[in-house]
Amino acid sequence: MFWEDISQEIEAIKQSNLYRHWQEIKPLGPTHAVIRGREVILFCSNNYLGLTHHPEVIKAAKMALEEYGAGSGAARLISGHNPLYTQLETTLARFKQVEASLVFPTGYAANLGVISALVGRKDAVFCNKLAHASIIDGCLLSGARLFRFRHNDLEHLKKLLEKETQYRRRLIVTEGVFSMDGDMAPLVEIYTLAQAFDAILLVDDAHGTGVMGEKGRGTVAYSGINGGYLIQIGTLSKAIGALGGFVAGNKVFIEYLINKARPFIFTTALPPSVVAAAKKAVEIMETEPSYWQRLQENISVLRDGLTALGFKLPPFPTPIIPVIVGASEAALNLSRKLLQAGIFIPAIRPPTVPKGSARLRITVSAAHTREDIERLLDTIARCAGEEKLL
């Protein structure tokens, strides 16, 4: 019965145009790849600065691989904490302009670990309704009472904070840049509410680190907030171009996590080559602002081009640009046409996004050339026109 039930579920998913599967991709640098024997341009990667293929990043990874081996051999509190970790965490803390940082195996694990260590059954979490799945899972794992405020609705958040006062700790959680719409949280206003109601603010800045603020320091810096008075979650796998997650904040909180965060304590450490690559990438972000500047230029050019074609875009200067088409079938058809024309942008469908808002989530990188962007604009204009989406 079990196998029959799940087979029927899979078939229902297929019939609803919601079936997920991967494409086998052979990268040809940060923005091009081979899919099904054809070269395509990727406009779906979160490799925002193109650092995955930076020669200095690759060199650092190779040197660490030769010196330390392929794996770490243990969790960090056993024997997996090599000197590269200390160097990376010092670099991340400096970059985020806080006292300390702590690296986790993934950004997902960072959210699980931080939230479940910080709050429990006597506490409450006030979470943006569109927060990432890892945030929601962290809240559920913690056992804290979960309140979800309407997306970026400050009045709703304020009413919840005014009403729900009986908890030991109250945690407000939001993303800095939201991964599906590319919009930004009103961090200054949320931070003000957190201070007024004696709540802790946690910002998941996975899509803001390397992208927003001077040198890409993130949405907290972009908003002019002192990062020492809140908690920042980041990832090493997007703009930084490697793998892993991290939390940045004050030293006491980092010490607390080392002793309380189960996804940190009980997970084998990242391979040394990954740690070394991430460190070098952050150093490049600090010393070579041209990558960040080129990303800003590409965002502006692409947004202007899509707006000129008639697409309605959120008014935020982020590299995530949603082209919402509505029905899942329409999004799939447009994605297939673009792939046939040499542009790869997968369709994003429910339950990742709300029903009726299936889309192509375009992401642009500093590594895209002006020719890449012009080809995307020409191709999407033709394909969307053929599908009567313009």
Side-chain angles (χ1 to χ4, degrees), residues 237-253:
S237 59
K238 295 181 172 57
I240 295 174
L243 174 67
F246 68 92
V247 56
N250 65 55
K251 289 182 179 180
V252 173
F253 183 61

Side-chain angles (χ1 to χ4, degrees), residues 201-214:
L201 175 58
L202 186 155
V203 179
D204 180 344
D205 210 22
H207 293 276
T209 299
V211 173
M212 305 304 302
E214 182 188 5

Side-chain angles (χ1 to χ4, degrees), residues 113-139:
V114 172
I115 296 171
S116 62
L118 184 59
V119 292
R121 297 187 184 279
K122 297 179 181 180
D123 307 313
V125 182
F126 303 84
C127 181
N128 188 298
K129 196 170 184 179
L130 295 188
H132 190 267
S134 61
I135 294 173
I136 301 304
D137 288 353
C139 294

Side-chain angles (χ1 to χ4, degrees), residues 18-338:
L18 300 178
Y19 183 71
R20 290 182 169 96
H21 63 93
W22 53 67
Q23 296 279 3
E24 187 171 288
I25 296 175
K26 179 183 178 182
L28 298 175
T31 58
H32 288 62
V34 173
I35 298 178
R36 301 176 190 171
R38 295 183 55 200
E39 182 173 342
V40 300
I41 307 174
L42 304 175
F43 274 99
C44 54
S45 168
N46 52 36
N47 182 21
Y48 297 127
L49 298 178
L51 296 179
T52 53
H53 287 74
H54 193 288
E56 291 300 315
V57 172
I58 293 172
K59 180 181 177 181
K62 285 182 177 179
M63 291 176 64
L65 180 65
E66 293 174 353
E67 182 174 357
Y68 291 95
S72 60
R76 288 180 64 186
L77 294 178
I78 305 299
S79 62
H81 180 86
N82 61 66
L84 295 172
Y85 261 113
T86 301
Q87 296 169 24
L88 172 59
E89 287 167 345
T90 299
T91 302
L92 286 168
R94 182 180 68 237
F95 182 69
K96 283 291 188 177
Q97 299 177 318
V98 295
E99 290 181 346
S101 74
L102 183 68
V103 169
F104 283 73
T106 64
Y108 207 114
N111 275 327
L112 292 182
V114 172
I115 296 171
S116 62
L118 184 59
V119 292
R121 297 187 184 279
K122 297 179 181 180
D123 307 313
V125 182
F126 303 84
C127 181
N128 188 298
K129 196 170 184 179
L130 295 188
H132 190 267
S134 61
I135 294 173
I136 301 304
D137 288 353
C139 294
L140 296 174
L141 178 64
S142 74
R145 180 71 186 275
L146 176 60
F147 299 94
R148 302 182 71 178
F149 62 92
R150 290 186 291 270
H151 180 56
N152 287 347
D153 189 330
L154 297 167
E155 191 59 35
H156 188 208
L157 173 59
K158 182 180 179 182
K159 287 180 179 178
L160 288 172
L161 290 167
E162 288 174 337
K163 180 181 178 183
E164 305 298 338
T165 60
Q166 69 272 33
Y167 298 94
R168 179 188 62 156
R169 292 175 183 164
R170 295 192 296 171
L171 174 67
I172 302 171
V173 186
T174 184
E175 293 184 52
V177 174
F178 290 87
S179 59
M180 288 298 116
D181 291 296
D183 56 339
M184 298 174 64
L187 287 187
V188 172
E189 292 83 356
I190 294 175
Y191 180 63
T192 300
L193 285 175
Q195 289 186 306
F197 289 93
D198 194 27
I200 309 159
L201 175 58
L202 186 155
V203 179
D204 180 344
D205 210 22
H207 293 276
T209 299
V211 173
M212 305 304 302
E214 182 188 5
K215 297 183 179 179
R217 296 190 191 278
T219 54
V220 172
Y222 177 84
S223 301
I225 300 170
N226 186 329
Y229 294 100
L230 48 77
I231 300 165
Q232 297 180 67
I233 301 289
T235 177
L236 306 175
S237 59
K238 295 181 172 57
I240 295 174
L243 174 67
F246 68 92
V247 56
N250 65 55
K251 289 182 179 180
V252 173
F253 183 61
I254 297 304
E255 287 182 36
Y256 179 81
L257 291 176
I258 292 170
N259 288 275
K260 300 288 281 188
R262 291 163 67 89
F264 168 81
I265 297 169
F266 298 107
T267 303
T268 296
L270 286 167
S273 57
V274 171
V275 178
K279 173 180 173 289
K280 177 54 67 174
V282 177
E283 290 173 346
I284 291 169
M285 290 160 61
E286 289 184 304
T287 60
E288 300 182 35
S290 60
Y291 291 91
W292 177 80
Q293 292 164 355
R294 195 176 309 128
L295 174 62
Q296 307 312 308
E297 293 168 4
N298 283 351
I299 291 170
S300 179
V301 170
L302 182 52
R303 285 183 57 85
D304 289 348
L306 289 169
T307 301
L309 291 177
F311 291 107
K312 295 181 180 180
L313 308 178
F316 296 92
T318 72
I320 301 170
I321 305 174
V323 172
I324 299 175
V325 299
S328 296
E329 184 177 6
L332 285 170
N333 289 339
L334 181 57
S335 176
R336 291 187 188 113
K337 278 185 171 287
L338 289 171

